[in-house]
Amino acid sequence: MAKSDLKIDIRTSPYIRKAPTVAQIMRNVVYALLPLVIYSVYHFGISALALILVTAMSCMATEHFFCKMSGKKSTILDASAAVSGLLLAMTLPPGFPLWMGAVAGFTAIAMGKTLFGGLGFNLFNPALVGRAFVQAAFPVSITTWTPALATDRFVEFIPSTLALPFMKPLPTADWSIQVAIDGFTGATPLALMKFQGIITDSYDLFMGNVAGSTGETSVLLILVCGAYLVYKQMLDWRIPAAVIIGTAISAELFYFIDPDKYPSPAFMLFSGGLMFAAVFMASDMVASPVTPLGIFVFGCLVGILTVVIRLFGGLTEAVMYAILFGNAATPIIETYTQPRIYGARKNKQDKS
């Protein structure tokens, strides 16, 4: 850029605008999540509703407990703990035992938030910390899927939902066969792709007519909810956009190499929890970069890691670990992507 291209932007006062409070931001996130909550209850019934309530209450109770233990004013009214509980529930199987959901909520706040000093100091997304903990502690329950739109889902709990603490949940295989409205195999679209080579139709993935986690199934609804946050200026659209770009480019590369072996970019984008994570998880205001270039690097890193782990790792769903890795890399990403504070870099002609 030449010196003659420099411009000065002159504006009249006021120059200082009041930023939204934490409570205002979190309330709007709750508003954005409510359609997903309603859809998940419609999709999976009262078990999904019970799981959402338990994780949200567990997160808020844990937050209140640690605030009281440290002699601070309780912060549950800022709704940040409620948001963590809702996000956590959306990533869990609808038949996940309630007591395990309570453990996940406690871990999310205790290890993902309080351990780092509370809201604003957490290095990782608290909901994903809770999810990662129960992924390691209860690997069978967190990979047990039940059919969507099951008959009697509004009057009957999934058998595993009401398991007693520290007791083995009841099996759901026979129950799933009885209540499923079509041939249910007990596998998610990602598991069908990875272990059986079956690719689910992209339309069903986009609309949410598939089994999966409680709130991650409908891409269309997730995008609408994300658009609301963008409209309210409480979501940096560049982060989910960068995640989508990183996922699409890396998936397209493998699909180009061998389309019979690797799924299309559309399948990678619409399956699993990628869209939900891109909109609601990767965009965590504390654990994600704020520099323009850093946002792009972070998002692309999450997308690429998700594709690589899905195709070559042992897990079918990978976006959780991709975001946690991106959160860990955020400080170094911001260090190397700091923008120039003022002025323009000199080109070779100006230097001479």
Side-chain angles (χ1 to χ4, degrees):
M1 179 184 292
K3 292 182 178 178
S4 58
D5 295 332
L6 294 176
K7 297 180 180 178
I8 300 176
D9 190 8
I10 301 176
R11 298 180 181 179
T12 57
S13 60
Y15 303 110
I16 301 177
R17 299 180 181 178
K18 183 180 180 181
T21 64
V22 172
Q24 289 173 325
I25 295 173
M26 294 301 167
R27 278 201 298 269
N28 277 278
V29 176
V30 172
Y31 299 155
L33 287 170
L34 283 179
L36 292 173
V37 170
I38 295 172
Y39 185 75
S40 65
V41 174
Y42 166 75
H43 226 208
F44 298 108
I46 58 175
S47 286
L49 176 61
L51 180 63
I52 293 167
L53 292 176
V54 166
T55 55
M57 293 175 65
S58 175
C59 286
M60 289 190 292
T62 305
E63 175 113 342
H64 184 73
F65 171 76
F66 281 108
C67 285
K68 290 298 182 183
M69 290 293 291
S70 58
K72 299 178 181 177
K73 182 181 178 181
S74 178
T75 54
I76 60 172
L77 294 180
D78 66 13
S80 61
V83 168
S84 295
L86 291 176
L87 292 176
L88 174 61
M90 296 291 104
T91 68
L92 297 173
F96 199 61
L98 297 181
W99 74 270
M100 295 182 188
V103 172
F106 174 83
T107 307
I109 299 301
M111 297 180 62
K113 188 175 179 180
T114 306
L115 188 64
F116 294 97
L119 184 64
F121 299 97
N122 52 291
L123 295 180
F124 304 96
N125 185 305
L128 288 181
V129 173
R131 214 277 186 184
F133 179 83
V134 292
Q135 174 89 41
F138 314 113
V140 176
S141 294
I142 208 167
T143 54
T144 299
W145 309 100
T146 50
L149 304 175
T151 56
D152 297 333
R153 62 188 182 280
F154 297 121
V155 295
E156 180 185 14
F157 283 102
I158 299 171
S160 56
T161 296
L162 300 178
L164 296 175
F166 308 108
M167 300 297 288
K168 185 177 180 180
L170 294 175
T172 60
D174 293 338
W175 177 86
S176 297
I177 294 174
Q178 295 175 1
V179 301
I181 59 176
D182 54 6
F184 178 70
T185 63
T188 62
L190 284 173
L192 290 174
M193 178 274 296
K194 191 173 186 65
F195 301 115
Q196 302 181 38
I198 300 174
I199 302 298
T200 305
D201 184 74
S202 295
Y203 176 80
D204 289 336
L205 293 174
F206 188 77
M207 299 302 295
N209 300 325
V210 294
S213 297
T214 302
E216 300 176 344
T217 54
S218 176
V219 174
L220 175 61
L221 193 56
I222 291 169
L223 292 177
V224 171
C225 295
Y228 167 78
L229 290 177
V230 172
Y231 171 74
K232 299 294 289 186
Q233 298 183 342
M234 294 177 181
L235 170 65
D236 190 338
W237 63 269
R238 295 172 297 178
I239 294 180
V243 174
I244 292 172
I245 291 172
T247 303
I249 292 177
S250 54
E252 177 62 31
L253 176 63
F254 289 109
Y255 185 68
F256 176 77
I257 294 173
D258 190 348
D260 294 328
K261 183 177 180 180
Y262 301 114
S264 67
F267 177 84
M268 279 295 182
L269 288 172
F270 299 159
S271 60
L274 187 131
M275 279 296 179
F276 182 83
V279 173
F280 290 101
M281 297 292 200
S283 57
D284 187 301
M285 293 183 177
V286 180
S288 59
V290 295
T291 61
L293 180 58
I295 289 172
F296 182 75
V297 172
F298 171 81
C300 289
L301 177 65
V302 170
I304 294 171
L305 283 176
T306 300
V307 172
V308 171
I309 297 174
R310 280 182 177 181
L311 294 180
F312 305 104
L315 298 173
T316 55
E317 181 55 275
V319 67
M320 171 187 67
Y321 290 109
I323 293 178
L324 289 175
F325 184 87
N327 292 156
T330 291
I332 194 169
I333 291 175
E334 288 192 320
T335 298
Y336 287 100
T337 57
Q338 288 295 316
R340 189 177 182 84
I341 298 175
Y342 181 76
R345 295 184 185 279
K346 293 182 178 180
N347 55 32
K348 294 182 179 179
Q349 293 179 348
D350 293 335
K351 290 180 179 178
S352 61

